[in-house]
Structures are given as structure tokens and as C-alpha cells.
């Protein structure tokens, strides 16, 4: 299909076979079988004239198919007849009369590989070197077929000029932009020995025999460990919800905290968070990411049901969860969907390609190294995304995810993965059945040792995990979880309102053996010292030397609103302020005095009330700038005009229409003219940080194809300045060519904080 896209509208079966270099009958038969498979899917068809056609979306799937530019006829669409005549004259061909005839003559000449090779052989050495390099290089990718090869500067301009005069390289008639090489010229210079790659059969991987029990055993261990880690990570999120970054998502600090609490590495924490968010177990709550009500129901389920929910979410994720770096090798936050990151269909295809590649392995065979599945994934899903900079082998991230989830085991597809690879309506039910068969049920008992540890082999039930978390600190999680008892953990349970007897009874009920003596001593000792010192809230303290008087105040009905509580025979506390308590006691007929913070009697002295000094009348500001006389003179009114006349004139003045900003410096939407174009209206709706002039600059660049420089805040929070061109609007995103990275990039309009001329 890529070779057909490179050949363009004049592709034929024989031309395709020649480009692929197919000579043997077996290779030709494989080509026919491939074309038939594409035809069955309505991706390629014959038009009746021997030409192979393909739908436009498939043709546009490759920005530069086989590293080639567009055909000569497409590149010469805007060329004038006089320019075509000049090229033919230099080539020694008599120009025909019409433009179409001249174009056909030039296309016929450049389509002859031998004539092009002979022509280039006689070119100057610098030109020949430039053409050979351009023929082997990959053009700059763009959405349209207009792809440039090199930028002719002072050093290459003379060399490019010879080729430009003969149509071997093409450039805009105004001599700006990058020069381009037509596909016919590039194929001719690559030589007859160069052929497009053609692999009708999947690559061969090194295999080893594996048995079904071995695969199921290893898959069960991985799935059980993942279910236990997922419960630990989400329990940590429920206890202390992670904070979001300003740019969205969860940053590295929170990931480290969650990983430390659940004894899981960064990749596993990211995988749990992304699948839980996709399954609806997590959601944004202000500046935090909190569990939802669905999480409570999920936590009460058996490990198999928990695991199946997360595994189904992983199958349909539009991203690679464990990917921690972007294409610029910068750290990526977890839950990138909260940061407005667009979905990646190539990542989803990579996951489906992995399932297809593993499902295609022979029965009873697995790859020796899991990394050898990467080339198979690329063969099954040619357009899948594999742009992770930290990957050491193709698709190693998605392969590692499959191993963590138990989808892959011993280099083969596990029964759990087989259900994901299927497309039947009842596959989800069968997945739950298989998960219940492979994953053990939740463990309801723990083995409590004399070393003050509780060990749970397997996945603890929700009730057991909640009990142990309330009285102990979790040290490890996974196939076996360990809690350690300490005075702080016991005190935490006592602070929650539980008694020592309740704690001991609950632990004894879930312990496989009798409670060890050190633990009972720890519980009793901690409870004995618990609450020996108490802290009571009080806004004021009432004390005196007569216990009977203080008892009378505590029982006085008129003072009930003070909520007096007797702490000692001569001490009362109240939740009311000292001023309120003082006034209430005096109103009840008592004679209290107030104290200072140092304990001394506060002397109450009333100061006599006096009026403030009168403010003098303002002096007349006659004759000075901004005065009424100056304003009246500027408006053409008499200087002695009164304020009433000025007010009448202002009220009777005709309404004026605000002048819309029209200059590039205008920077306010308020009072401005409505958006002039649809692009301005769309950009203004999403780019809330931009002024009116910046919105107009972006819209102008989108409409005219001009380049601009923007100040952009990435998802990681880094602020960068990028020069962009070839802007295409896809609200709320902006597709553009980034000159800093020399690649296509997707930018979120809301993250553009400033626009400068390119």
C-alpha cells in the first residue's frame, strides 16, 4: 500500500511489481495475494484501465511514502507554460505548442530512468552530489504531498540552479522555500538495484516449546500481583488523594509517594492509575484525583473481578500508560488525559498488534525473548506508534505492560490475552470466567507473628486490608503483603474510637493462630497510656476561689448559652468568647473581671468620645490641567458653564460606536469588532490566554499558511518558544510543523500563552 501511494495516480500492477523488485513466480503470487487481501477490504481496486486505485485517507496515511516526494505532474501544477518551455529547451527538447503538451513531454522525459541517469551523469560534481543525497534522503513530512528536501543556501544555490533549470529539482517560481525532487527523478537516481521493501510473510522469531500449564501458572502469578498492587495503589489514593499539576495530570512527586506506599515501581503505578481512570474508578475533584463511588464497589469484589475490570480498560486505552517520556525526552505526567493530551490511535493499534502477533504464534510455542515480538507487532500493525524514547527495542513498553498484566507469559499469549484478542460479544464474560479460574480468591486470614508482623499470602480481602491498615503500617504488597504493628498504628486505631479489647478481638478473629504475646502487650501498653492527657477546646476560662460559686455558675439556667463545663472545682471553660462571657455574667447579676494573657486584671477605662476634626472644603482648582475651565474650553463651551449644563450636554450627546481594534497592536475583545473569520472565532474560543491581536495572528497564519512563533506551556509545565508553520486547526488542537523539533507536533490552543512574528 505504501508503494502504491508512492507511485501516485499512475500506479499499475506491473509498475508495482517492478518497484518491489519481484521476479520469481512465488514473489509475484505473493503480490497478487496481497492485492487481493487489500481489495477484499476495499483498500485497493482496479479502475478498469489497468490502474490501481486506493482511497485518499489510506494514501494520506504516509506523509512521504518510501521517503519519496510527489510525482512530477503534481509538483508542476502551478507552473507556467513559459517555464515549461525553458526546461524543455535546456534539455534539448523542442517545446510543443500548448502547456499540456509541454508538461506531458517533460513528464515523459523524466519518467525514463536511463535518460535521467545519463543527464545527471553529465552534471557538475556539486550538483551530482546534491541530487544523489536528495534522492536517498527522507523529505520533510507534511499533511499534503508538498514536501521539501533541502533548503538551498549560499553554499548549495549554484549546485541547485543547474538541476532547477532542467526540472530535476523544483522550487517556487519566486525562488523561496525548499527545493523538491519529483518521485520519477528520485527513483531514477536510486538506481535499478533499489526496490521497495516487500514482506508478505511475518518475520520469523526464535521460538521455544512451552506448555499450557506453564503459561497459565506464570500468567496467574503476574495477574495476582497486579491485582494486589492495584488495590494498594488505589487504597493509597483513597487515603490521601494525589494532587494534580497546574498543567494537569499527576507529577513525579506524587507517583513516588504512591509507589512507596504500595511498594510498586513507576511503571506499575502509571499502569494502575491509567486503567483505573479509564474504568471510572478515579476522577478529578478540584486540584485532586479522588476515587469515585464505583471504587467502593470495586474494592469489595474478588481479585478476579477487580483484575478483569482493569484489564478491559487497558485493552481500549488510547495511550501507552507506562510511557514516562515524550518524544523530546521530557518527563510526562500520569493521567495525561487530565492535561488535555489528545488520544493516540497508534498506541491503541500497537496494543492490538501485540495481541495479534502473540495469537499468531504456533500452538505450544513461545518466543525466546519477549523483545522479539516487536518486529511481529510492526508487521501486524504497520501504522502503530512506537515513538517512546526510553524503549530499547521496538514496542518494548507495550510488551512489558502485557507481561505485568499476565497477558503474555513465557513468550506466549496467555488465556487471559486470548480473550482480549477475540472480538466475540461473549468474550468479556469468558474473560471473567478465566480470571476467576486463574486468580485465587481473596484471603480473609493473616499470619501474625511474634515479630509484630502480619503476613497475607495472596490478595487480602477488603475487610482484612482495612483492618490491618487501621492498626498497622503496610511494608510490602504483591503476591504476599506484610504489615508491621507499632505503637503509632495501635494509637491510630484508638484515636478512631476503638478500644483495646475491640482491637484484640478483631485481630484474633482474622488471625490463623492465636495472637502472640508481644502484640497483646503492645496493645495493652499503648491503650494504658492513651488519653492520659486530654485537650479540650475552649474560647475562655472562668476561674475563682469559691467552688460553690463556680458550681452555681455551671448550673445557672440563664448562662446555659455559654455551654459552661466544669474541669475542676474552681475552673470552668466555655466555647464563647471572653467578651460574650463577661457580658452574660454581668447581665445575670454577677461581677466578674477580665484578665490579660499574663493573668493580671485588665483595667477597663472608657475614653470620652469626640467628633473628628472637620475636613476643610476643597480649594478651587481654576486654570490648572484637568480643571472644569480647561475641559469647558477644550469642548468649545464657555468657561463659566455650570455643572448642570455640562451634565445635560453629556446626557443628550448621541451614542458612539466603539472603534474595533484593527491594528496589530489592538489587544482587547471588549468593544471590538466581531471575529472576521471562522478561524479567529474558533481560536478565540479555546485560546483564553491570548489577546485579540495574538488571536488574529494565529488565525492569519492558519488561513494563509504563514509561519509564527508562539510561547507554549507543555504538559510537563515547561515553557518553550516554538516556531510553527503549516498550521491546521483541529479544535481544541493545532497541528503544525515545529521548526525546533523538525517534526509534526500537536499543540493545545489553551496552552498557547503568546504569539510573536516568525
Amino acid at each position: 500500500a505504501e508503494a502504491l501511494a508512492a507511485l501516485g495516480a499512475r500506479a499499475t500492477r506491473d509498475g508495482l511489481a517492478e518497484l518491489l523488485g519481484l521476479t520469481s513466480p512465488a514473489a509475484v503470487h505473493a503480490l497478487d495475494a496481497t492485492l487481493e487481501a487489500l481489495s477484499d477490504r476495499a483498500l485497493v481496486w482496479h479502475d478498469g484501465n489497468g490502474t490501481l486505485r486506493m482511497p485518499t485517507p489510506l494514501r494520506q496515511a504516509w506523509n512521504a511514502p518510501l521517503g519519496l516526494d510527489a510525482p512530477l505532474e503534481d509538483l508542476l501544477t502551478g507552473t507556467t507554460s513559459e517555464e515549461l518551455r525553458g526546461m524543455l529547451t535546456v534539455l534539448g527538447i523542442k517545446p510543443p505548442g500548448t502547456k499540456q503538451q509541454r508538461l506531458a513531454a517533460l513528464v515523459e522525459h523524466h519518467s525514463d530512468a536511463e535518460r535521467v541517469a545519463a543527464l545527471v551523469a553529465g552534471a557538475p560534481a556539486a550538483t551530482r552530489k546534491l541530487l544523489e543525497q536528495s534522492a536517498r534522503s527522507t523529505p520533510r513530512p507534511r499533511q499534503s504531498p508538498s514536501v521539501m528536501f533541502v533548503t538551498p543556501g549560499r553554499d548549495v544555490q549554484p549546485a541547485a540552479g543547474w538541476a532547477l533549470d532542467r526540472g530535476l529539482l523544483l522550487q517556487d517560481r519566486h525562488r523561496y522555500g525548499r527545493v523538491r525532487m519529483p518521485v520519477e527523478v528520485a527513483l531514477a537516481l536510486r538506481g535499478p538495484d533499489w526496490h521497495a521493501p516487500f514482506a508478505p510473510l511475518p518475520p520469523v522469531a526464535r521460538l521455544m516449546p512451552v506448555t499450557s500449564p506453564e503459561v497459565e501458572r506464570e500468567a496467574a502469578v503476574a495477574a495476582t500481583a497486579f491485582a494486589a498492587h492495584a488495590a494498594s495503589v488505589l487504597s493509597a489514593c483513597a487515603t490521601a488523594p494525589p494532587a494534580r499539576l497546574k498543567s494537569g495530570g499527576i507529577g513525579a512527586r506524587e507517583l513516588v509517594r504512591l509507589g512507596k506506599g504500595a511498594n510498586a515501581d513507576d511503571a506499575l503505578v502509571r499502569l494502575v492509575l491509567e486503567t483505573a481512570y479509564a474504568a471510572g474508578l478515579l476522577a478529578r475533584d478540584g486540584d485532586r484525583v479522588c476515587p469515585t463511588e464505583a471504587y467502593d464497589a470495586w474494592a469489595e469484589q474478588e481479585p478476579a473481578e477487580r483484575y478483569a475490570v482493569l484489564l478491559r480498560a487497558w485493552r481500549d486505552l488510547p495511550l501507552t500508560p507506562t510511557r514516562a517520556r515524550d518524544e523530546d525526552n521530557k518527563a510526562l505526567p500520569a493521567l495525561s488525559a487530565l492535561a488535555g493530551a489528545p488520544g493516540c490511535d497508534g498506541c491503541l493499534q500497537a496494543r492490538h498488534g501485540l495481541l495479534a502477533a502473540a495469537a499468531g504464534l504456533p500452538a505450544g510455542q513461545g518466543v525466546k525473548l519477549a523483545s522479539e515480538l516487536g518486529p511481529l507487532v510492526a508487521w501486524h500493525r504497520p501504522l502503530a506508534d512506537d515513538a517512546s524514547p526510553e524503549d530499547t527495542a521496538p514496542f518494548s513498553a507495550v510488551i512489558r505492560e502485557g507481561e505485568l498484566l499476565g497477558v503474555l507469559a513465557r513468550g506466549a499469549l496467555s488465556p487471559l490475552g486470548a480473550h482480549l484478542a477475540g472480538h466475540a460479544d461473549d468474550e468479556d464474560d469468558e474473560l471473567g470466567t478465566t480470571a476467576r479460574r486463574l486468580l485465587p480468591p481473596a484471603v480473609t486470614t493473616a499470619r501474625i507473628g511474634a515479630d509484630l508482623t502480619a503476613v497475607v499470602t495472596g490478595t487480602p480481602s477488603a475487610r482484612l486490608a482495612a483492618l490491618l491498615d487501621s492498626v498497622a503500617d503496610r511494608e510490602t504488597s504483591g503476591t504476599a503483603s506484610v504489615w508491621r504493628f507499632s505503637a503509632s498504628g495501635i494509637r491510630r486505631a484508638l484515636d478512631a474510637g476503638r478500644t483495646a479489647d475491640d482491637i484484640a478481638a478483631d485481630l484474633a478473629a482474622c488471625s490463623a493462630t492465636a495472637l502472640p504475646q508481644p502484640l497483646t502487650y503492645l496493645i495493652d501498653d499503648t491503650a494504658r497510656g492513651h488519653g492520659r492527657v486530654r485537650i479540650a477546646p475552649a474560647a475562655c476560662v472562668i476561674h475563682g476561689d469559691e467552688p460553690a460559686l463556680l458550681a452555681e455558675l455551671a448550673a445557672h439556667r440563664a448562662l446555659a448559652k455559654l455551654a459552661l463545663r466544669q474541669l475542676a472545682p474552681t475552673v470552668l471553660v466555655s466555647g464563647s468568647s471572653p467578651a460574650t462571657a463577661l457580658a452574660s455574667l454581668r447581665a445575670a447579676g454577677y461581677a466578674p473581671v477580665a484578665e490579660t494573657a499574663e493573668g493580671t486584671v485588665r483595667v477597663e477605662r472608657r475614653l470620652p468620645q469626640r467628633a473628628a476634626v472637620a475636613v476643610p472644603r476643597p480649594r478651587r482648582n481654576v486654570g490648572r490641567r484637568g480643571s472644569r475651565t480647561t475641559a469647558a474650553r477644550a469642548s468649545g463651551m464657555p468657561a463659566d458653564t455650570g455643572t448642570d449644563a455640562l451634565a445635560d450636554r453629556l446626557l443628550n450627546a448621541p451614542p458612539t460606536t466603539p472603534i474595533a481594534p484593527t491594528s496589530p497592536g489592538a489587544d482587547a475583545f471588549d468593544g471590538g469588532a466581531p471575529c472576521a473569520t471562522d478561524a479567529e472565532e474558533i481560536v478565540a474560543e479555546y485560546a483564553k490566554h491570548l489577546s485579540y491581536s495574538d488571536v488574529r495572528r494565529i488565525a492569519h497564519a492558519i488561513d494563509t499558511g504563514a509561519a509564527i512563533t508562539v510561547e507554549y506551556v507543555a504538559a510537563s509545565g515547561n515553557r518553550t518558544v516554538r516556531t510553527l508553520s503549516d498550521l491546521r486547526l483541529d479544535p481544541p488542537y493545532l497541528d503544525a510543523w515545529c521548526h525546533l523539533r523538525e517534526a509534526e507536533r500537536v499543540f493545545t490552543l489553551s496552552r498557547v500563552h503568546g504569539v510573536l512574528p516568525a
Side-chain angles (χ1 to χ4, degrees), residues 11-12 46-53:
T12 62
H46 291 273
D47 65 352
N49 298 323
T51 303
L52 294 175
R53 301 290 185 182

Side-chain angles (χ1 to χ4, degrees), residues 315 352 354-356 358-359 407 413 415-424 427:
R315 175 184 56 189
H352 293 174
L354 173 64
L355 297 175
V407 173
L413 193 67
L416 298 168
H419 292 305
L420 291 186
H423 299 286
E427 287 293 341

Side-chain angles (χ1 to χ4, degrees), residues 102-193:
R102 294 175 180 179
L103 178 59
L106 186 61
V107 171
E108 180 183 1
H109 178 275
H110 285 5
S111 299
D112 190 336
E114 295 181 358
R115 284 199 287 183
V116 172
L119 178 63
V120 174
T127 302
R128 189 165 57 253
K129 181 179 179 180
L130 172 64
L131 291 173
E132 292 174 354
Q133 291 177 349
S134 300
R136 297 285 179 176
S137 63
T138 301
R140 164 185 160 184
R142 284 180 51 175
Q143 186 68 18
S144 65
S146 303
V147 185
M148 308 297 184
F149 276 91
V150 297
T151 302
R154 295 180 180 178
D155 52 340
V156 300
Q157 189 63 39
W162 189 93
L164 289 169
D165 293 339
R166 290 159 178 79
L168 301 175
L169 293 177
L170 298 176
Q171 193 180 28
D172 186 271
R173 66 168 63 99
H174 300 293
R175 297 288 177 173
Y176 67 82
R178 301 184 180 186
V179 293
R180 308 167 60 178
M181 176 175 285
V183 60
E184 295 88 350
V185 178
L187 290 177
L189 295 181
R190 290 185 181 185
D193 296 332

Side-chain angles (χ1 to χ4, degrees), residues 323-647:
R323 182 177 176 184
R325 297 278 174 177
D326 61 9
E327 56 273 6
D328 299 327
N329 203 28
K330 294 182 180 179
L332 283 174
L335 295 183
S336 55
L338 295 177
C344 174
D345 185 66
C347 298
L348 179 62
Q349 292 301 323
R351 192 174 305 112
H352 293 174
L354 173 64
L355 297 175
L361 296 176
Q365 298 287 325
V367 294
K368 289 186 176 181
L369 296 176
S371 59
E372 296 189 10
L373 287 172
L376 288 172
V377 176
W379 189 88
H380 282 277
R381 294 294 187 275
L383 302 182
D385 180 48
D386 184 37
S388 184
E390 64 264 28
D391 286 354
T392 57
F395 300 101
S396 60
V398 68
I399 293 173
R400 175 59 179 158
E401 291 176 9
E403 292 177 330
L404 289 175
L405 289 163
V407 173
L408 297 176
R410 300 294 297 250
L413 193 67
S414 71
L416 298 168
H419 292 305
L420 291 186
H423 299 286
D425 294 337
D426 57 349
E427 287 293 341
D428 285 346
D429 296 335
E430 294 181 3
L431 173 61
T433 302
T434 303
R436 286 188 291 272
R437 180 172 62 85
L438 295 181
L439 274 71
V443 179
T444 58
T445 60
R447 183 172 295 277
I448 302 177
D451 58 349
L452 298 180
T453 60
V455 180
V456 178
T457 304
T459 303
S461 64
R463 180 181 179 277
L464 178 61
L467 172 62
L468 294 177
D469 284 336
S470 66
V471 298
D473 299 316
R474 189 182 306 214
E475 290 188 341
T476 60
S477 299
T479 53
S481 302
V482 178
W483 281 264
R484 181 168 297 278
F485 295 96
S486 63
S488 62
I490 302 298
R491 186 166 55 249
R492 185 169 64 243
L494 294 172
D495 291 339
R498 307 177 66 184
T499 64
D501 294 338
D502 293 338
I503 296 174
D506 291 341
L507 290 177
C510 69
S511 177
T513 59
L515 291 184
Q517 193 177 58
L519 179 57
T520 58
Y521 283 173
L522 176 64
I523 296 174
D524 293 338
D525 291 344
T526 305
R528 191 177 301 112
H530 186 263
R532 294 177 64 183
V533 177
R534 299 190 177 187
I535 301 174
C540 68
V541 177
I542 302 172
H543 63 94
D545 298 331
E546 303 177 25
L549 178 59
L550 272 295
E552 178 184 338
L553 295 179
H556 203 298
R557 296 180 61 182
L559 301 177
K561 61 181 180 181
L562 296 180
L564 298 176
R565 186 159 64 96
Q566 193 166 11
L567 299 182
T570 57
V571 179
L572 298 176
V573 295
S574 172
S576 302
S577 64
T580 303
L582 192 65
S584 299
L585 289 173
R586 287 175 176 172
Y590 298 94
V593 294
E595 288 185 351
T596 64
E598 291 79 13
T600 60
V601 176
R602 189 180 66 192
V603 178
E604 300 182 14
R605 180 177 300 173
R606 291 180 177 272
L607 297 177
Q609 186 175 0
R610 297 292 184 268
V613 179
V615 179
R617 295 174 60 86
R619 299 176 59 186
R620 292 179 60 86
N621 199 13
V622 181
R624 303 184 67 181
R625 178 174 299 179
S627 66
R628 183 169 58 87
T629 303
T630 306
R633 186 179 298 114
S635 62
M637 297 184 65
D640 57 351
T641 302
T643 55
D644 293 340
L646 288 173

Side-chain angles (χ1 to χ4, degrees), residues 50-277:
T51 303
L52 294 175
R53 301 290 185 182
M54 63 194 312
T56 301
L58 178 59
R59 186 184 303 277
Q60 293 176 346
W62 297 275
N63 290 312
L66 302 179
L68 299 171
D69 205 331
L72 179 65
E73 187 174 358
D74 295 341
L75 297 179
L76 291 176
T77 301
T79 308
T80 64
S81 179
E82 188 62 23
E83 290 172 337
L84 293 173
R85 187 192 67 80
M87 294 180 187
L88 293 173
T89 302
V90 175
L91 291 173
I93 302 174
K94 183 178 180 181
T98 65
K99 176 182 176 180
Q100 293 299 328
Q101 292 174 341
R102 294 175 180 179
L103 178 59
L106 186 61
V107 171
E108 180 183 1
H109 178 275
H110 285 5
S111 299
D112 190 336
E114 295 181 358
R115 284 199 287 183
V116 172
L119 178 63
V120 174
T127 302
R128 189 165 57 253
K129 181 179 179 180
L130 172 64
L131 291 173
E132 292 174 354
Q133 291 177 349
S134 300
R136 297 285 179 176
S137 63
T138 301
R140 164 185 160 184
R142 284 180 51 175
Q143 186 68 18
S144 65
S146 303
V147 185
M148 308 297 184
F149 276 91
V150 297
T151 302
R154 295 180 180 178
D155 52 340
V156 300
Q157 189 63 39
W162 189 93
L164 289 169
D165 293 339
R166 290 159 178 79
L168 301 175
L169 293 177
L170 298 176
Q171 193 180 28
D172 186 271
R173 66 168 63 99
H174 300 293
R175 297 288 177 173
Y176 67 82
R178 301 184 180 186
V179 293
R180 308 167 60 178
M181 176 175 285
V183 60
E184 295 88 350
V185 178
L187 290 177
L189 295 181
R190 290 185 181 185
D193 296 332
W194 182 89
H195 299 289
F198 180 56
L201 299 177
V204 179
R206 295 180 299 169
L207 302 176
M208 63 177 183
V210 293
T211 62
S212 296
E214 292 175 342
V215 174
E216 291 188 0
R217 190 182 311 115
E218 185 169 327
V221 171
T224 303
F226 176 77
H229 281 115
S232 301
V233 171
L234 296 182
S235 176
C237 292
T239 304
R244 295 191 313 113
L245 298 172
K246 290 183 179 180
S247 58
I250 299 177
R253 181 177 301 178
E254 291 288 357
L255 291 176
V256 171
R257 179 180 68 83
L258 294 175
K260 185 177 180 180
N263 194 27
D265 58 10
D266 180 81
L268 192 54
V269 174
R270 288 174 177 269
L271 184 58
V272 171
L273 291 177
E274 294 287 1
T275 52
Y277 182 78

